Amino acid sequence: MRRLSTRILAHQLVILALTGLIGFVLFAFAQRTELDRSYEQRALAIAKSTAADPQIQQAMEDGGGSDVVQTVAERIRRASGASYVVVLDLNGIRHSHPIPSLIGEPVAEPIVVKDGRPHVGADQGATGRSANGKAPLDGPSGALVGEVSVGIPEHDVLGELWRELPTFGLYAAIATAIGAAAAYLLARRLKRTTFGLELEEIAGLLQDREAMLHGIREGVVAFAPDGRITVVNDEARRLLGLGAALGSRLEEALPDGRLRRTLDGTLTGADLSVLTDDHCLVVNRMPVTLHGRELGAVVTVRDRTELIGLLRELDSVRGLTNALRAQQHEFTNRMHTLAGLLDIGEHESAYEYAIETARSGQALTEAVRRNIGHPLMVGLIVAKTTVAAERGVRIVLTDDSALGDDPPHLRRLLTIVGNLLDNAIDATAGAPSGDGGRRILLTLTEGDELIVVRVADNGPGIAPGTAQSIFEDGWSTRPERGTARRGLGLALVHRLVQGHGGSITVSEGPGAVFTVALPQRDTAPPAYGALFTTALSMEGDLR
């Protein structure tokens, strides 16, 4: 099997040889036509010169003098090298001819110069094929008296052509040699461009690439050095919504946001988490170099929606477990106290303690129920309050809170309140205890136009200049946990709020205050998807 460069060179040499041969033949025909035209004009010039001879003019006007005409015409023929110089009268009778026996004989063709103009062409006469020129012959009085026909033999034209063809052939050979050298250089360049791969190897790689790209479960996007998309498989189209993006730049295919900044390399790092409207993605970008040449970059996209949902559900179960553990710990302490009172015979005190304990267990739930109508939201707030108390943080539902029995956006509200309280608990639990202890204020109000959620804590707050960054996927000031990725809660809340036309703001500086406002009308209730498992798992457990 011949190498790619050899095959390219051989094919290009054949093409050059064929095109050179065709060009040579066409050029020969063109040159032959040009020589014919040149010799016809030369014959015409001899004919005009003969027609201007005074002796011939006088003899032809007198109607005779063939000997004079023959003598002068033959002299001109021999001097010019023409094959014949024939003088005709208006009746077509020859008065001169290289073959004397034809003098006085008529010609078969009509006299064409009766129109008073010269004529050129090819003539098949008695002396053979010639380039012919015919000029009108006027007498001394100016009247048309005949025609002068001059022919130059064709072998003169062919001889001239054969003398010129070697020069043309040399030019064609030089052009072919230059083309061959260019073909050789092109073949070498193509060989370097294909990294030494042969045609069969390139075809095999293409087949393997297509099978791999469209068979794997991960999305793959490749970028050229100029940033244009060169490869995108079916999974990447599905996850990223790229559509017909092949050949376009990333800014033409995706709006500005974390997803585009992750794909184009503005955001760096491994396993970057990106939330879209439908998926939770893990994105990795890797630059590609080969033999020291930068070939662009390859981005892999993995769909981790179900996994992240399960991890967040596990995280919520852990929170419920901590709440139950805190309640069990508190219950155990109370039982120990009650058993001690019974052991020392303080039965009356034990009875009063049991009554007081029962009432205090219901006090928190009743306090929340006075302002919150729906039991799922009540259960969520009570559970979060218990978990916070275990970590030394007190959650207070403000007195101006008011939420009805059937509020709109319930599923969204469960997710929003749960995530905001979790963030506030984590931030406040690790902060120094100030005046009044570690505290979180929760406000839920339902008005005619808006539902407002406000969560305020007395933790370290949000650093100046980061109020917008905290809502990006993966942004967090805390280390990763083993079960769930950090930085998704606020991003999820932000998408829920923005997707319904609401707003979310946060204060900067010590003591963060998150404020969410949702329109009353719920036009797009969310489905029970994996990204909402935190709230929904809480909902199921609280029933």
Side-chain angles (χ1 to χ4, degrees):
M1 187 182 301
R2 290 181 298 174
R3 296 191 307 170
L4 173 61
S5 57
T6 305
R7 279 183 280 181
I8 293 175
L9 181 60
H11 284 84
Q12 289 188 337
L13 287 177
V14 171
I15 293 173
L16 285 172
L18 289 176
T19 54
L21 179 60
I22 293 173
F24 180 78
V25 172
L26 293 177
F27 188 82
F29 276 110
Q31 191 64 18
R32 168 63 187 272
T33 303
E34 183 64 27
L35 288 174
D36 284 341
R37 188 178 298 111
S38 174
Y39 274 77
E40 288 170 358
Q41 293 298 321
R42 178 181 168 188
L44 180 60
I46 297 172
K48 288 181 178 180
S49 176
T50 303
D53 189 277
Q55 291 178 300
I56 294 178
Q57 290 179 348
Q58 186 64 49
M60 291 302 295
E61 189 172 59
D62 292 341
S66 296
D67 292 339
V68 175
V69 174
Q70 172 72 2
T71 301
V72 176
E74 282 298 299
R75 185 178 70 249
I76 294 175
R77 182 184 69 81
R78 288 190 294 269
S80 63
S83 61
Y84 62 84
V85 176
V86 179
V87 180
L88 308 169
D89 59 21
L90 294 179
N91 295 319
I93 303 299
R94 298 184 181 96
H95 291 265
S96 69
H97 199 279
I99 303 174
S101 61
L102 295 179
I103 298 174
E105 297 294 329
V107 295
E109 299 86 3
I111 302 299
V112 297
V113 297
K114 290 181 178 181
D115 58 1
R117 294 181 298 175
H119 294 267
V120 295
D123 177 53
Q124 187 67 40
T127 59
R129 185 175 178 81
S130 303
N132 178 255
K134 297 177 180 180
L137 176 60
D138 298 330
S141 63
L144 181 66
V145 296
E147 173 186 277
V148 177
S149 179
V150 177
I152 298 178
E154 189 179 53
H155 61 79
D156 290 348
V157 180
L158 294 177
E160 183 69 22
L161 178 62
W162 283 109
R163 285 191 295 273
E164 293 183 1
L165 285 182
T167 303
F168 302 152
L170 177 61
Y171 293 159
I174 293 174
T176 303
I178 295 174
Y184 175 74
L185 295 177
L186 177 61
R188 290 190 59 186
R189 178 176 177 82
L190 290 176
K191 190 71 173 177
R192 290 196 305 270
T193 303
T194 58
F195 301 100
L197 298 176
E198 302 299 332
L199 289 177
E200 292 76 11
E201 294 174 322
I202 296 174
L205 287 177
L206 178 61
Q207 294 173 353
D208 294 342
R209 190 199 75 163
E210 291 300 312
M212 178 191 69
L213 287 178
H214 299 289
I216 61 177
R217 294 292 303 274
E218 290 188 356
V220 178
V221 184
F223 297 92
D226 62 354
R228 295 189 178 277
I229 300 175
T230 56
V231 174
V232 53
N233 67 347
D234 298 336
E235 186 69 5
R237 294 182 192 276
R238 182 183 73 86
L239 296 176
L240 304 177
L242 289 177
L246 198 63
S248 61
R249 295 183 179 276
L250 198 57
E251 55 267 22
E252 300 170 357
L254 291 175
D256 187 24
R258 178 177 173 83
L259 178 59
R260 196 175 88 183
R261 295 196 299 272
T262 303
L263 294 177
D264 63 17
T266 303
L267 299 179
T268 59
D271 292 339
L272 296 177
S273 298
V274 179
L275 280 177
T276 67
D277 293 337
D278 302 311
H279 306 284
C280 179
L281 307 176
V282 176
V283 181
N284 284 281
R285 179 185 172 96
M286 179 67 66
V288 178
T289 57
L290 185 61
H291 299 166
R293 292 167 52 191
E294 294 186 3
L295 303 180
V298 173
V299 175
T300 58
V301 182
R302 288 173 288 167
D303 186 5
R304 291 294 180 264
T305 305
E306 294 183 2
L307 177 60
I308 295 300
L310 291 174
L311 292 177
R312 292 181 65 81
E313 184 173 358
L314 178 61
D315 207 34
S316 66
V317 171
R318 172 184 289 177
L320 290 174
T321 303
N322 290 337
L324 293 175
R325 181 178 57 80
Q327 291 178 346
Q328 186 268 341
H329 181 71
E330 183 180 359
F331 180 77
T332 301
N333 288 335
R334 290 174 179 176
M335 288 300 98
H336 288 166
T337 303
L338 184 61
L341 290 175
L342 292 175
D343 285 342
I344 62 177
E346 295 289 337
H347 300 91
E348 186 67 23
S349 298
Y351 175 75
E352 292 177 357
Y353 179 74
I355 295 299
E356 180 183 355
T357 301
R359 289 176 178 174
S360 63
Q362 296 294 324
L364 175 60
T365 303
E366 293 301 326
V368 175
R369 282 187 179 275
R370 282 196 297 269
N371 300 87
I372 307 299
H374 200 283
L376 292 179
M377 185 61 71
V378 173
L380 176 65
I381 296 174
V382 171
K384 295 296 182 183
T385 301
T386 304
V387 172
E390 174 71 8
R391 301 181 62 182
V393 179
R394 185 163 59 97
I395 296 179
V396 178
L397 182 66
T398 59
D399 294 336
D400 58 342
S401 297
L403 192 66
D405 295 337
D406 188 21
H409 317 294
L410 178 61
R411 298 167 189 169
R412 290 189 183 91
L413 285 175
L414 289 171
T415 301
I416 292 170
V417 172
N419 278 285
L420 292 181
L421 287 179
D422 284 341
N423 286 335
I425 292 171
D426 286 341
T428 309
S433 177
D435 295 340
R438 303 182 182 94
R439 187 181 62 176
I440 299 173
L441 297 180
L442 171 63
T443 303
L444 284 169
T445 59
E446 182 180 0
D448 296 335
E449 299 293 335
L450 296 174
I451 295 179
V452 178
V453 178
R454 182 177 292 106
V455 176
D457 62 65
N458 58 355
I462 305 299
T466 61
Q468 295 301 321
S469 302
I470 64 173
F471 297 113
E472 291 186 357
D473 316 341
W475 191 95
S476 178
T477 58
R478 291 169 287 164
E480 297 284 343
R481 287 202 303 246
T483 57
R485 290 186 177 275
R486 293 291 190 180
L488 295 180
L490 288 178
L492 176 59
V493 170
H494 184 263
R495 283 188 174 273
L496 286 175
V497 174
Q498 294 292 327
H500 189 62
S503 64
I504 179 170
T505 59
V506 60
S507 65
E508 295 183 352
V513 179
F514 287 86
T515 303
V516 175
L518 291 175
Q520 265 281 357
R521 186 179 178 185
D522 191 357
T523 57
Y528 283 83
L531 289 179
F532 300 94
T533 51
T534 298
L536 297 182
S537 62
M538 182 74 73
E539 178 180 339
D541 286 326
L542 290 175
R543 286 197 178 116

